[in-house]
Amino acid sequence: MPRQSIPLAIADLSQFSRALGAQLAARPDKAPSHLSLMNMLARAAGFRNFQHLRAGVDPDAALPPPPETPPETPPVPVDLRRIAKVAGYFDTEGRLARWPSKRAQQILCLWALWARLPAATPMSEREIGERLKALHLFGDPAILRRDLVDLGLFRRDRDGSNYLRLEQAPPAEARLLIRDLAPRGRFQRP
């Protein structure tokens, strides 16, 4: 007999986890059974028990319609002065000479470095560190490596053994900066 998927929408995750935690704390035994846990989850979501939750789901009901397409948002204006200022942080060979103090400028610099790192090429921590050393002059590849991962431009394995550039379209300001810096060094086309 195939299992029926039963969706469980949780409006307030904090309240849900408090209710579930209170039920688990009130149990005298150490671990609830499968059915007891399903009942607890259903009660925490506001149902009487799992059967009450299950009864509210019609297996033959049509899927809900897809959400409406949001209205098109106007393009974000590009600040050409900021791009020119950030381009000034790079030397004539396209290396990052110093790390900006403002986060918005740091992010643009990270996009420029992202464009100079190889796509679809897994790299060890040592390899990405060496590549980043060649792309900057202030001697801190670790901050660049961490920020590339934190910004979602690179993926890192849990143990730090492999780094991989995540392909995505840079924002408009980053694209212009990459284009402006292209004559100074080898940049990958985003």
Side-chain angles (χ1 to χ4, degrees):
M1 179 175 175
R3 292 190 179 195
Q4 173 189 2
S5 290
I6 300 172
L8 177 62
I10 301 168
D12 184 354
L13 188 59
S14 178
Q15 183 180 354
F16 176 84
S17 61
R18 261 191 289 230
L20 183 59
Q23 290 180 63
L24 287 170
R27 288 192 58 90
D29 53 346
K30 57 184 181 271
S33 68
H34 177 72
L35 182 60
S36 295
L37 188 56
M38 288 193 312
N39 283 328
M40 287 180 189
L41 290 167
R43 280 192 297 272
F47 295 91
R48 286 191 305 268
N49 54 33
F50 177 70
Q51 291 300 323
H52 182 223
L53 167 65
R54 193 168 149 204
V57 177
D58 181 7
D60 298 323
L63 293 174
E68 290 183 24
T69 322
E72 193 170 310
T73 57
V76 177
V78 174
D79 186 352
L80 296 176
R81 286 183 297 167
R82 179 168 30 172
I83 294 169
K85 181 166 179 109
V86 172
Y89 287 105
F90 291 84
D91 71 0
T92 57
E93 295 176 27
R95 295 176 298 188
L96 184 59
R98 64 186 193 280
W99 190 233
S101 59
K102 294 183 178 177
R103 185 63 181 161
Q105 294 172 348
Q106 292 173 358
I107 290 170
L108 284 175
C109 290
L110 290 167
W111 275 107
L113 296 174
W114 171 88
R116 296 201 50 203
L117 293 165
T121 306
M123 294 176 272
S124 69
E125 186 171 333
R126 170 177 252 133
E127 289 171 313
I128 193 169
E130 291 300 319
R131 289 178 188 265
L132 288 171
K133 280 181 190 175
L135 295 175
H136 81 287
L137 301 174
F138 56 88
D140 194 355
I143 193 170
L144 299 173
R145 188 182 65 239
R146 282 191 302 267
D147 277 355
L148 284 166
V149 171
D150 290 345
L151 196 57
L153 301 177
F154 267 77
R155 186 197 72 204
R156 179 181 82 101
D157 288 348
R158 282 184 184 257
D159 62 356
S161 61
N162 282 316
Y163 289 78
L164 183 66
R165 183 174 116 167
L166 297 175
E167 297 310 305
Q168 53 197 297
E173 286 185 338
R175 279 195 308 271
L176 289 174
L177 177 64
I178 292 166
R179 186 196 68 199
D180 288 351
L181 293 175
R184 301 186 197 183
R186 277 182 59 180
F187 282 80
Q188 305 267 332
R189 280 305 232 186

